[in-house]
Amino acid sequence: MIGEIRDQPTARIAVQAGLTGHLVISTLHCGRATGVFARLIQMGIEPYLVASSIRAALAQRLVRRLCPTCRAQRGEEAAAGSGNTAPRRWYEPVGCADCDGLGYHGRIGLFELIEMDEKLRHMILAQASETELQQYAAESGTRNLADDAADKVTAGWTSREEVMGAIE
């Protein structure tokens, strides 16, 4: 475990350990999961080493969790036959004794995971832009932070306002 990769020497140690079969878990400041690859290359790690040593990249954001005792439902499910299948239900904070009047109690994670595959490996070797990597991730079915946030808002785990600041 490496607390955080901030510089080239630390990045090299992590990559070398990964190449020799060790499981390396670390943090790296990036906006998206696909940003990990470009960030390591910017730090001076050769693209072939990045493509060979990384198995997956995870982006996460922590947001406040709505209090299950007092959250208030707003909106409703899409009308049957309307052609719009997107839910229009969400929850908002209210405030009660359980959450000290805040409307929130605890935190919950929003996640975006991209796993390495052959196409992604070739794109990294070709030094594709982060935009191209994000487009490929979306096309290959990777759920992004916004997708996870929308599901958690609809399920009542957090509010729309809370995720807006986290995924921008």
Side-chain angles (χ1 to χ4, degrees):
M1 176 97 185
I2 298 173
E4 182 179 351
I5 298 174
R6 292 185 187 201
D7 53 25
Q8 186 182 51
T10 308
R12 288 204 180 283
I13 290 168
V15 167
Q16 289 302 318
L19 289 172
T20 59
H22 292 84
L23 173 64
V24 178
I25 300 173
S26 185
T27 61
L28 185 68
H29 287 273
C30 298
R32 316 258 330 206
T34 53
V36 168
F37 313 116
R39 181 77 177 108
L40 287 170
I41 292 168
Q42 287 171 351
M43 287 183 162
I45 305 300
E46 294 294 327
Y48 75 93
L49 293 173
V50 172
S52 299
S53 63
I54 296 179
R55 299 280 181 252
L58 175 77
Q60 69 175 10
R61 301 286 184 281
L62 289 177
V63 294
R64 293 181 296 175
R65 180 182 216 138
L66 282 169
C67 176
T69 305
C70 67
R71 68 182 182 190
Q73 181 178 334
R74 303 288 187 250
E76 57 190 40
E77 293 292 333
S82 68
N84 181 2
T85 58
R88 294 179 295 186
R89 179 184 64 202
W90 67 92
Y91 293 81
E92 294 177 348
V94 176
C96 67
D98 289 345
C99 61
D100 294 327
L102 298 173
Y104 295 96
H105 187 59
R107 300 222 179 241
I108 189 167
L110 306 177
F111 303 102
E112 173 182 301
L113 174 70
I114 185 165
E115 295 183 71
M116 186 64 71
D117 63 17
E118 281 305 308
K119 169 91 178 183
L120 183 58
R121 188 171 283 115
H122 288 294
M123 292 179 74
I124 293 166
L125 289 171
Q127 296 188 36
S129 70
E130 188 173 346
T131 302
E132 292 170 318
L133 294 174
Q134 287 173 7
Q135 182 178 359
Y136 170 69
E139 290 169 359
S140 66
T142 297
R143 297 190 70 234
N144 63 32
L145 287 168
D147 295 335
D148 195 37
D151 288 348
K152 288 176 177 165
V153 166
T154 301
W157 293 358
T158 191
S159 67
R160 295 186 308 173
E161 295 76 22
E162 188 67 14
V163 300
M164 291 308 289
I167 61 173
E168 290 181 344

